[in-house]
Amino acid sequence: MIVTDNSFAAQSIRLALRQTTGFQVVGFLDGTAPIGPRVAEVRPDIVVMDEMQEAADSVARLAELSEAVPDAKLIFLAMRMDDALIAQVFAVGAEAVISKAVHPVSLATLLREISRGTFVHVQSRATKPAPREECPLTDRELEILQLVARGYTNGRIARDLWVTEQTVKFHLSNTYRKLGVANRTEASPYAHLNDLLAA
């Protein structure tokens, strides 16, 4: 299964896989909208997630896939090997990250090896701070952080919680300060890696 926000990218990935036997592309899903129910019907063995224009969409779709098809190998194709983004995609369930600079013929080979479990890459994890019970965030700050980690925009968070965007920004500013992170890109993997997403 291929997930991307770009039909040209989907066709390129499909053509790359056609050059190698053993793969059957069972579908393409637009990653700009939730895909969990649709992908669960197909139950693919491997999902190739192309890095989308909005990094939050990529992370949110990977999180959905982890729940919808827990047995599938989730492979992320990265345009830029950005440490923060890579940490996020691993945190939400990616099995591996492959640079889009890889030769198309090599893509199929890498996917095969990853699916067989013969390729292992351990992502370095951030140092864990205090345990969850010592989390310095208020309930509201934690609630907003959880929504940020799911890929929600400030506008959507404001609508869902019936507050203004300015209120969301205020809570996020406090959250970043308390956690020692600079922005939502750093806060999301922090939340995933430090078990702050549980209700």
Side-chain angles (χ1 to χ4, degrees):
M1 173 72 71
I2 299 167
V3 179
T4 180
D5 60 355
N6 183 321
S7 59
F8 180 76
Q11 290 303 326
S12 299
I13 296 167
R14 189 189 307 256
L15 288 173
L17 296 179
R18 252 190 217 155
Q19 297 178 30
T20 306
T21 58
F23 289 102
Q24 177 186 358
V25 177
V26 295
F28 154 72
L29 291 175
D30 180 0
T32 58
I35 59 172
R38 292 178 288 162
V39 79
E41 294 173 8
V42 180
R43 302 202 64 77
D45 296 316
I46 301 172
V47 178
V48 178
M49 164 72 72
D50 184 42
E51 180 178 346
M52 291 184 269
Q53 202 165 19
E54 294 293 332
D57 284 339
S58 299
V59 174
R61 298 300 83 82
L62 280 167
E64 284 177 38
L65 289 164
S66 291
E67 292 183 16
V69 283
D71 296 329
K73 302 279 187 181
L74 305 182
I75 315 299
F76 185 69
L77 294 183
M79 176 65 74
R80 53 199 165 81
M81 300 300 273
D82 176 75
D83 288 344
L85 178 59
I86 290 172
Q88 281 184 284
V89 299
F90 274 122
V92 295
E95 186 88 10
V97 175
I98 300 174
S99 169
K100 289 180 79 170
V102 72
H103 191 281
V105 174
S106 299
L107 176 61
T109 303
L110 288 169
L111 291 178
R112 178 179 288 113
E113 294 308 314
I114 292 165
S115 69
R116 289 177 177 165
T118 58
F119 183 89
V120 177
H121 176 266
V122 179
Q123 172 71 8
S124 58
R125 295 171 70 90
T127 304
K128 288 200 174 189
R132 167 66 186 96
E133 58 270 12
E134 298 175 25
C135 177
L137 303 180
T138 65
D139 289 345
R140 182 59 106 183
E141 289 166 352
L142 184 57
E143 181 179 27
I144 290 173
L145 175 62
Q146 290 170 342
L147 294 174
V148 165
R150 291 188 183 104
Y152 287 24
T153 63
N154 287 355
R156 179 167 176 188
I157 294 170
R159 287 191 303 275
D160 286 1
L161 300 182
W162 293 83
V163 296
T164 66
E165 281 194 56
Q166 193 58 39
T167 299
V168 173
K169 290 177 185 176
F170 170 77
H171 287 303
L172 283 176
S173 176
N174 288 337
T175 298
Y176 301 156
R177 179 179 47 77
K178 290 178 181 179
L179 299 183
V181 299
N183 51 41
R184 69 198 305 123
T185 304
E186 292 181 11
S188 293
Y190 184 104
H192 286 286
L193 293 172
N194 293 285
D195 303 320
L196 298 181
L197 300 187

